[in-house]
Amino acid sequence: MKQLFTIREAAEITGTSKSTIRRYLEALQDAGKIPPEGIAHEQRAGHTVILLSAATVEALKTAMNDSSTNQGTVYGTNHNAHQDAPDAPESDPRTAELLSELRDRIAAQEREISVKNEQITSLTAALATAQQATAAAQALHAATAEQLRRLTAQAAPEPPQDRAEPEPPTDTTPSAESAQEPPSAPTEAPAPEITKPLTFWQRVRYVFSGQ
């Protein structure tokens, strides 16, 4: 046998509404006719559910059947408990579960968004650092290239001075007039003188006088 019943189940058992069950339950609690252990509470889908023991449900049925209890004890009027206005429709437990699931999903998405925001912030800082390093490297490269250009210009030899233009070659081609003149005859060499042999007295004179 079931030991605990919800407000809705107690209303179905007694043939009344949930609001009627709550009013009778409050009246019986004030009168001290329901012990503390006759009512329990349980968390379901993020909501607190009131659970009634079987003895509490029987006490509610007895109170509803007692005409004296119905007269002003619960309602404060002469209306019968069965003529109470219908209670508002109870939310579907499945709806409560869906709402709880949606809340969990939203919380998970918010955590994920927070993590991604932190990653974006970190990547933005890293990108800024990389851009600064790139700019510094480009400036260093430009300074190095300029220094290398200056050193190369200092080490290069001076250009040679302008040299005198070479004289045009002398034209050795004979002119027309000289070409028409006949070549001159070769000069004859003088004939060698024929010396006569010295006489005896000439040799003696050459020895003594040198002539």
Side-chain angles (χ1 to χ4, degrees):
M1 182 178 178
K2 189 173 182 180
Q3 299 297 325
L4 298 176
F5 301 88
T6 62
I7 298 294
R8 183 177 61 181
E9 292 172 344
E12 292 175 354
I13 292 172
T14 58
T16 59
S17 65
K18 293 188 294 181
S19 60
T20 301
I21 293 295
R22 290 191 179 94
R23 279 192 289 270
Y24 272 97
L25 185 62
E26 183 178 357
L28 294 176
Q29 283 180 314
D30 294 340
K33 295 181 180 181
I34 296 178
E37 61 271 12
I39 301 175
H41 299 82
E42 182 179 344
Q43 293 291 330
R44 293 182 181 179
H47 301 281
T48 302
V49 179
I50 299 175
L51 300 177
L52 307 177
S53 65
T56 302
V57 175
E58 290 297 326
L60 290 172
K61 290 172 63 177
T62 302
M64 291 176 186
N65 293 329
D66 188 357
S67 59
S68 62
T69 307
N70 292 333
Q71 298 295 328
T73 305
V74 177
Y75 297 99
T77 62
N78 292 328
H79 292 93
N80 187 274
H82 296 279
Q83 296 177 353
D84 186 24
D87 195 7
E90 185 180 5
S91 60
D92 187 2
R94 179 59 182 168
T95 303
E97 293 179 2
L98 290 175
L99 290 175
S100 178
E101 184 178 354
L102 289 175
R103 292 191 188 96
D104 294 339
R105 289 183 179 180
I106 291 173
Q109 289 179 355
E110 289 178 350
R111 290 192 297 268
E112 185 177 356
I113 291 173
S114 177
V115 172
K116 289 183 177 180
N117 288 336
E118 293 178 358
Q119 292 178 351
I120 291 173
T121 303
S122 177
L123 290 175
T124 302
L127 179 59
T129 303
Q131 289 177 347
Q132 293 177 358
T134 302
Q138 291 176 351
L140 178 61
H141 177 72
T144 304
E146 179 64 19
Q147 185 177 6
L148 180 61
R149 186 187 65 80
R150 292 179 180 179
L151 292 176
T152 304
Q154 293 177 359
E158 296 181 357
Q161 298 179 355
D162 296 338
R163 297 179 180 178
E165 294 183 0
E167 296 179 358
T170 305
D171 188 4
T172 59
T173 304
S175 60
E177 295 179 355
S178 59
Q180 292 178 2
E181 294 179 357
S184 58
T187 305
E188 294 181 358
E193 295 180 357
I194 299 173
T195 58
K196 296 179 179 182
L198 297 177
T199 64
F200 173 77
W201 294 108
Q202 289 177 343
R203 287 196 295 269
V204 172
R205 190 181 53 187
Y206 179 77
V207 172
F208 290 99
S209 60
Q211 295 180 353

